[in-house]
Amino acid sequence: MTDQTGTAAAAPKGADEITRPGGPEPSGRWRTAAEEVADVLAAAGIRHCYTVPGESFLELSDAVEQHEDIRLVSTRHENGAAFMAEAEAKLTGVPAVAAATRGPGAANLAVGVHTARQDSTPMVVFLGQVTSDCLGREAFQEVDLTAFYAPITKWATTVTRADRLAEITAQALRVATTGRPGPVAVAVPGDLFGQRVPPEPKLPGTEPPRPPLGEDERDRLAEWLVTAQRPVIVAGGGTRNAREELVACAERYNVGVYTSWRRQDVFPNDHPLYLGHLGLGCPESVLRTLEEADAVLVVGSRLSEITSQTYRLPTAAGPGPDSPVAQIDIDPAQIGAVTGVWLGAAADARRALDSLAALPVATPDRDYGEAHHAWERTATAPADAATHPGGLMHPWAVVEAMRKALPDDTVITNDAGNFAAFLHRGWTYRHPRTQLAPTSGAMGYAVPAAVAAKLAAPNRTVVAAVGDGGVLMTGQELETAVRLELPLTVIVFQNGLYGTIAMHQARELGRRAGTDISGPLDLASYARGLGALGATATNPVELADALDAALSAELPMLIDVRTDPEIISPEATMTSLLHASDHR
């Protein structure tokens, strides 16, 4: 969805006089367009704007800095700024703002914006553009920002009139939060933010509609769940605000629950009806109950490639009464988009689950004990993990140390990489809003996300889990954490590899290319050089001591854990993959 907002509109009488910065003001109430924007953002509950300052939005940075209800957060890279905005919005449910300048700034920001798109995270992005008189001339750093951002946002627009900017900001907030949430990009020529504009009339509200589940749909779904022999629920990010209702619905109908890719915190993992996480490399023992299900209720999930196990599950021959799948989603475009459904309902997940749970049905007698235990077995470290030889730690032992040291309600941010497979298996998400992880698989997410999480929830324990590849992409945001006095913890699984690609190469090609990275690096010294604390761990005792120090520290702390590159996944070693490839 793209446009060029205001392009065809006529200029108001006297525009050259009344909108020029410092020009005559018929009323003392006239302020800059940037100040009007800051008021709109604050009224919507936005509390942070993440940015690398740029010359094309000077007045916006100033207006945010001066606003009593919004904090301007200056980051070390636009990629970090975008990840921070995405993480805060995911944690709080309220959009955050990222701002970048034209050309290079916008390009650097794009990875985090794409992450917000794939994760269905509401975000408003302001992109400073070249000045109005230079547009279309390939001026310094000029890029067609509307065209650039259109594929990775819900809506991208270029504003060409200062007196429309507050209105478009309100519209951007509505688009970002209505239906399937997502990012919106607003490009603004650099000369507009400072122009003085008349007071904006009362703007439309930003509270998105929350459609209920229809009574007929509710009754049909209830009968279906009661009469099915082996029903399951697949719960996605759309249930993030409906955890209690999801639990109540699962218990009312005695239905087992899977969580979608990197949405493990939407349902308590220690609940007896929890069946597991539909992630990468999901074990067959965990998938079996889904494969054998005769009724699959998908709630708030777009059934991504990873969640659906490469669009294989849930199985449905096609739409119609014979399909075992029903889907509830706030976005009608997601219903039936991946698999055929016998019933699709465009409804808010919280309201839908609440209405289903409230029905006085007779709870069916079903036993999901073995299915839950199947998941528990995959979440248990092997017996020899803690005594792994060779002066390097087994990745399972790192997760076990985290489980022993960290509070249950710790906010865990994690990066892309094979180390995350051990975290997804081994960490038990018992509390809501404790997992911040990119379904887009973007490297460099964890450290900036931890900064945003600690800003948004300063009383929570926040831990970033990251590989040595990802930490050197955005690890410089530790300086941001130091500057903002945020005591968070970064745990680096350092194995000297781009591990995920190394695994694929070994399995598919029988050799590796370009995946060895320098190591071991002294990442603890790197952290200290940025003003943070640093420690190195090569065994469980050293790691336990470092975690204890980190939890009591008043500064951010990085723990450099040396892990064995041979242990490449929970199921395989590097040697076994190379050997299997040799014999294919």
Side-chain angles (χ1 to χ4, degrees), residues 501-527:
I501 308 308
M503 179 190 70
H504 288 304
Q505 289 174 341
R507 185 172 57 205
E508 303 299 328
L509 305 176
R511 53 184 178 271
R512 305 204 310 263
T515 51
D516 290 307
I517 52 182
S518 297
L521 298 174
D522 188 355
L523 295 175
S525 291
Y526 167 71

Side-chain angles (χ1 to χ4, degrees), residues 31 34-44 67 70:
R31 302 187 305 158
E35 290 172 321
E36 293 289 329
V37 165
D39 277 353
V40 173
L41 296 176
H67 203 288
I70 312 179

Side-chain angles (χ1 to χ4, degrees), residues 49-61 64 72-83 85 97-113 123-130 141 143 145 148-149 184-190 193:
C49 173
Y50 300 95
T51 187
V52 173
E55 69 272 24
S56 57
F57 57 100
L58 298 174
E59 294 84 1
L60 179 64
S61 298
V64 171
L72 185 70
V73 179
S74 182
T75 68
R76 301 311 301 259
H77 195 280
E78 290 91 353
N79 195 10
F83 282 144
V97 170
T101 196
R102 55 193 182 257
N108 288 339
L109 199 75
V111 175
V113 177
M123 180 195 299
V124 176
V125 177
F126 288 101
L127 303 170
Q129 181 57 287
V130 302
Q141 296 184 339
V143 174
L145 295 173
F148 180 9
Y149 269 71
V184 172
V186 180
V188 186
F193 282 119

Side-chain angles (χ1 to χ4, degrees), residues 384-394 538-539 562-565:
D384 60 350
T387 57
H388 192 66
L392 296 171
M393 287 193 67
H394 195 297
T538 59
N539 59 62
R562 306 293 171 81
T563 59
D564 189 348

Side-chain angles (χ1 to χ4, degrees), residues 365-534:
D365 182 17
R366 306 186 186 101
D367 185 3
Y368 290 90
E370 177 52 37
H372 179 73
H373 293 321
W375 164 75
E376 286 184 320
R377 287 191 289 270
T378 69
T380 303
D384 60 350
T387 57
H388 192 66
L392 296 171
M393 287 193 67
H394 195 297
W396 265 117
V398 182
V399 179
E400 284 294 299
M402 292 170 63
R403 290 177 64 158
K404 291 177 181 178
L406 301 178
D408 280 353
D409 64 347
T410 297
V411 178
I412 302 288
T413 74
N414 74 259
D415 227 88
N418 261 33
F419 75 90
F422 298 92
L423 181 68
H424 292 327
R425 296 274 187 96
W427 184 263
T428 302
Y429 292 90
R430 296 180 172 88
H431 298 272
R433 297 190 181 278
T434 52
Q435 182 181 36
L436 298 177
T439 65
S440 67
M443 292 181 69
Y445 179 86
V447 175
V451 173
K454 194 64 178 178
L455 271 175
N459 295 323
R460 301 281 296 277
T461 300
V462 176
V463 174
V466 60
D468 43 344
V471 78
L472 288 188
M473 291 186 175
T474 55
Q476 68 271 18
E477 300 302 345
L478 268 174
E479 187 278 329
T480 305
V482 171
R483 179 167 23 96
L484 300 178
E485 300 179 342
L486 304 175
L488 54 87
T489 303
V490 177
I491 299 173
V492 184
F493 292 66
Q494 183 178 186
N495 66 356
L497 288 175
Y498 287 123
T500 301
I501 308 308
M503 179 190 70
H504 288 304
Q505 289 174 341
R507 185 172 57 205
E508 303 299 328
L509 305 176
R511 53 184 178 271
R512 305 204 310 263
T515 51
D516 290 307
I517 52 182
S518 297
L521 298 174
D522 188 355
L523 295 175
S525 291
Y526 167 71
R528 289 192 290 269
L530 294 173
L533 303 175

Side-chain angles (χ1 to χ4, degrees), residues 79-100:
N79 195 10
F83 282 144
M84 289 181 197
E86 195 280 339
E88 178 178 333
K90 187 180 290 177
L91 182 65
T92 66
V94 178
V97 170

